[in-house]
Amino acid sequence: MTIANVIVDVPSQNTNRPFDYGIPEKFEGIVQPGVRVIIPFGPRKIMGYVVSISEESDFSKIKNIIDVLDVTPVLTEELLELGKWLSRKTLSYYISCLQVMLPQVMKAKYRKELWKLTDEYLQSDLDPLFDGRAVIDYEEFEQSNLSYKMLRKHIDDGEVDVHYEVKSRETKKVTSMLEPQMDTMQLEEVLVDLSKQAKKQRAIVEYFMDHKEPITKKQLLQTLGTTAASVKPLVKQGVLQEYEQEVFRDPYGNRNFERTEPFPLTEEQSQAITPILSSIEQRQHEVFLLHGVTGSGKTEVYLQSIQQVIDNGKEAIMLVPEIALTPQMVERFKGRFGSKVAVLHSALSAGEKYDEWRKIQRKEVQVVVGARSAIFAPFSNIGIIIIDEEHENSYKQEDRTRYHARDVAIERASRHGSPVVLGSATPALESYARAAKGNYHLLTLSKRMNNAVMPEVELVDMREELHEGNRSMFSRVLKEKIEARLARREQVVLFLNRRGYSTFVMCRDCGHVMECPHCDIALTYHKNQNRLKCHYCSHEEPMPTECPECESKTIRYFGTGTQKVEEVLQQLIPEAEVIRMDVDTTRRKGAHEKLLQQFGDKKADILLGTQMIAKGLDFGNVTLVGVLAADALLNLPDFRASEKTFQLITQVSGRAGRHEKPGEVIIQTYTPEHYSVELASQYEYEQFFQEEMKLRKAFNYPPYYFLTLFTVSHPNELKVQEVTQKIVQFMRQKLSDQSMVLGPTPSALTRINNRYRYQCMVKYKKEPEQRKLVERILHYYEDEMKQENGLQIVVDFQPYQLM
Ligand code: ADP
Ligand code: ZN
Ligand code: ZN
C-alpha cells in the first residue's frame, strides 16, 4: 500500500511534521504531492497537504484518506520545498508556510463544480454523467464512483475543469438596480394618475419614459436629487422593478490596453540590460541591483528583460509595492504583453484573485505582476524575478509567516537558475552594501529620460520661523509659493509623515531632540507616566521641563495628524480646494483611485496626504511639493529613520515637475543640517550611504549586525515583564560574547487591545544555533501560548517594524 505523507491543518509545534495516511484504491494516482486532502485527525476531519508519497510507514496502524480536494496539485514540488525552507527561515509552522502561498479562496468555503469546456463527446463514462449539462456539482462526480484518473485525463486535455464557486458573501458586492416594468405609454398613464404634489415620483416616472435601461438606485437618486422613499411606492405598484446585481470589481477585465512597442534603449539602459540578458541566456542565477534615479527608465529595462524571458519560453514574476500597483503601472505591462499578464493585488475580490492565480497555474500567462504574495506564483519555469522599489517595507510580511519577498525571490530564482533584479532610486542600505561588496551586481542609471532635471529642493528652517514669530506649521515661503500656484492654476502636493507615531520630544527653539544615550534613537514619550523611554534598550528618564541644550521652555512632544493640517490649511488659504488622502479617507474600496482621479482632473488645488501619495504619482500640473515636517519621520524610534527620511524625500521630490513645467520642492525641518535631509535635498545617494553606514557600524546595526526581535504580549503586564526578562537571560547565557541582548523594554506601542507588549532585541553577527535556542523558548512556553488570550511570543528574524 502506498502512503501519503500529510501536513495537517493544525498549526502547532506537535503537529509540525508529516503524518502518514493510507491511500484508498479509488484515489490512487490522484493523490500526489501538492494536493489537498481530507483526513481523520483525532475525532475530527480536517484538511491537509500531501507533501510526499512513500512505499511504507513506520507506523503499523494508519488511517485512510477520506477525500481528495484537488485533482490537479495546487502546490508544485518546488513550492513544497520552498515551504520547508520558509519554515526553517522564519521559524513558522510548515502548514502556515504552505497556506501563505495559496489564494485565500483555498481556505474559504466554496462549492466545487465540474465544468465541461467542450461541445465534443467526452470519450468516457464522464459524458453520460454530464448528460447534456455544461456544469454539474462536483459531488455528483464523487458519488458516481467514476475514476479520478479518468477525470484527471479530461482535465489535462482541457476538456473539463474543476471550478470553485466562492460561497463566502463578503467576496461578492451587490448593488440595487432599478428597471421600468412598463412601456412609455403605460408610464404616461401612471403619470396622469399621480397627484401633482408627488413631484419626486413624477420625476422618476418621467426619467424612465426617456430611459429604458436599468440604472443603479444610487445613481438615479443622485441624478434626480430624491430619496428612496419616492422610489418605494413605484416599486410597490409594479411600475419599477428593484433587484440586486453583483458588481464586478476587476478594474482591467474589459479594458483594451493600447499595445506599446519597446523603445530603442539609451546608452545607459543598454549597459544596464546587457548583463541581465546574458544571465537569462546562460540560465545563471545572479542578483542585480538596478540603482536608477526616478524617471531614468528602469521600467523599460524590466519590460525588455521580461520580453527576452518570454521569447525563451519562460516565465517572469514582477513585484511592485501594493500602493504602486496603480492602473498606470498595470497598463504598462498589459500594454506590452497583453493577455500574457496576470495581475494579483488586494483590490481584487477573493474570487478574482483565484481566477488570476488559476491562469498562472494553467500556464495561460507567462507574466505575473503583483504585490508581495505574487512571489509565490505557481510558475514552474521561472526565467526572471524583478522587484521594483526594492527598499519598500511592504515586501516584508508582518504577521504569521514573517518573510521578506526579497529573500524568497532570491531563493526561488536560485532554484530556477535565473536572475533577480532589484530596482530602486533609493536602495535599502542592506542591498546597496551587498552590491558594494560584490554580492549583488550593481547596475546604474544616473540620468533622467530626455535630460529632464530633478526639481530644485529648498530647505526651510522652522526654528527661524519661530524666532520670527511664525508659530504656524506652514512656513511663510511655503504659504507664498502655494498661493502663487493657485494664482497660476497649477497644483500642489503636500506631504505629511504617517499619522500617530510621532511621539518624540523636541525643542522648538533649537531643534534638539531627546535621544537615548545608548542607541542613537529618539526617545518615545509615554504620556500617562510623563516619561521618555528608549524602546530598544531599557533606558528611561523623566520628561524634561526645559531643553538640555538651550534651556528653552518650548520643549514638547510632537505629533500632528493630516486632519489637523487640513483645518489649518483651510484657515490659512480659504480659497484652496484640498483633497486629503490618508488612512481615514481611503478606507473604502476604490477611494484611493477616485481621489487621485479627482486631483488628476484638476478638481482640487492641493493634494494633502501621507505615505500613500509619495509613490508613482505622475501629474504634469504639479509644480510644487511641500514636505511639512521632515523631522517627524526622522525621529521615529527606529534605527532606519534616517534611511526612511532620505527615501521619502527623494520619492516625494520626484512628484514635482515631471513634464514640461519645472518643479520645486519645499522641505520644512527643524534640523536642516541633518545629513539625511541635506543629502536628500541634493540627491546624493552615494554620500548618504557612506554617512549612514558609519553610524550603523558605530551602533552595531544592520547591515553590520543582524537583528532578532522578540515581542511578548499578555493581558497582565507583570507576566509580560517576567517572560521577557527570562528570554533575555536565557539568550544572554546561551549566545556568544559577540552578540548583544537588549531589553526587556516596553514596545513603543505599549498596549494594544488591552494586551501589554514588551520586547527584547538580539544583535548578532553569527549565531548558527540561534534558531534552535528560539525553538526551545517557544517550546517551553507552548502550553501558555495555546490558551485563548494567553501569552504570545512573536519572533522576527528580520524586523522592520520596531514598534
Ligand atoms: P523609472 O521607472 O526609472 O522611474 P520610467 O520607466 O517610468 O522610469 O521612465 C520614464 C519615462 O521615460 C517613461 O515615460 C518611459 O516611457 C520613458 N522611457 C523609458 N525608456 C525610454 C527610451 N529608451 N526611450 C524613450 N523613452 C523612454
Ligand atoms: Zn533647545
Ligand atoms: Zn536605548
Side-chain angles (χ1 to χ4, degrees), residues 507 509-512 547-552:
C507 169
D509 250 317
C510 74
H512 176 75
C547 172
E549 283 296 312
C550 74
E551 296 175 4
S552 158

Side-chain angles (χ1 to χ4, degrees), residues 206-408:
E206 277 165 1
Y207 173 89
F208 282 110
M209 286 168 66
D210 294 335
H211 303 84
K212 293 285 163 244
E213 304 299 310
I215 179 174
T216 69
K217 190 169 169 182
K218 194 170 156 204
Q219 206 180 340
L220 182 82
L221 300 185
Q222 258 172 14
T223 316
L224 302 181
T226 175
T227 63
S230 314
V231 174
K232 215 166 159 189
L234 294 172
V235 173
K236 224 168 172 185
Q237 290 168 43
V239 180
L240 300 178
Q241 192 198 6
E242 183 171 355
Y243 60 93
E244 307 270 277
Q245 181 174 299
E246 188 181 345
V247 189
F248 292 101
R249 284 176 297 202
D250 180 355
Y252 322 113
N254 36 26
R255 264 185 63 191
N256 265 324
F257 291 90
E258 203 177 314
R259 288 308 286 255
T260 65
E261 293 299 324
F263 288 108
L265 295 181
T266 64
E267 182 60 34
E268 267 198 331
Q269 281 173 321
S270 319
Q271 273 181 16
I273 205 172
T274 306
I276 301 176
L277 297 182
S278 102
S279 164
I280 293 169
E281 283 306 308
Q282 291 166 14
R283 299 158 184 258
Q284 202 154 40
H285 169 62
E286 190 169 3
V287 183
F288 296 96
L289 179 63
L290 178 59
H291 178 209
V293 298
T294 52
S296 60
K298 292 186 290 295
T299 311
E300 188 62 30
V301 172
Y302 304 150
L303 291 168
Q304 297 197 18
S305 304
I306 292 174
Q307 187 62 57
Q308 176 89 353
V309 166
I310 295 176
D311 292 346
N312 288 1
K314 292 189 161 195
E315 300 140 347
I317 299 179
M318 172 82 215
L319 297 189
V320 297
E322 181 70 54
I323 250 167
L325 204 47
T326 54
Q328 290 113 298
M329 189 74 189
V330 172
E331 202 166 333
R332 294 180 77 173
F333 282 84
K334 292 248 184 192
R336 194 64 63 84
F337 305 119
S339 59
K340 293 195 182 84
V341 183
V343 179
L344 287 173
H345 70 106
S346 64
L348 301 180
S349 72
E352 286 161 352
K353 257 186 234 164
Y354 173 70
D355 289 346
E356 294 293 300
W357 183 85
R358 283 284 284 155
K359 284 190 207 160
I360 303 167
Q361 197 203 18
R362 279 201 298 245
K363 311 259 178 292
E364 290 171 5
V365 294
Q366 276 116 299
V367 183
V368 57
V369 179
R372 181 180 61 231
S373 63
I375 194 60
F376 298 113
F379 280 139
S380 50
N381 197 8
I382 295 173
I384 195 169
I385 301 179
I386 299 172
I387 305 186
D388 191 30
E389 312 274 9
E390 67 93 32
H391 61 277
E392 275 294 312
N393 283 358
S394 65
Y395 288 125
K396 168 75 192 301
Q397 166 130 326
E398 289 297 351
D399 58 2
R400 271 189 171 235
T401 314
R402 289 161 194 272
Y403 70 89
H404 197 296
R406 192 198 291 131
D407 299 333
V408 180

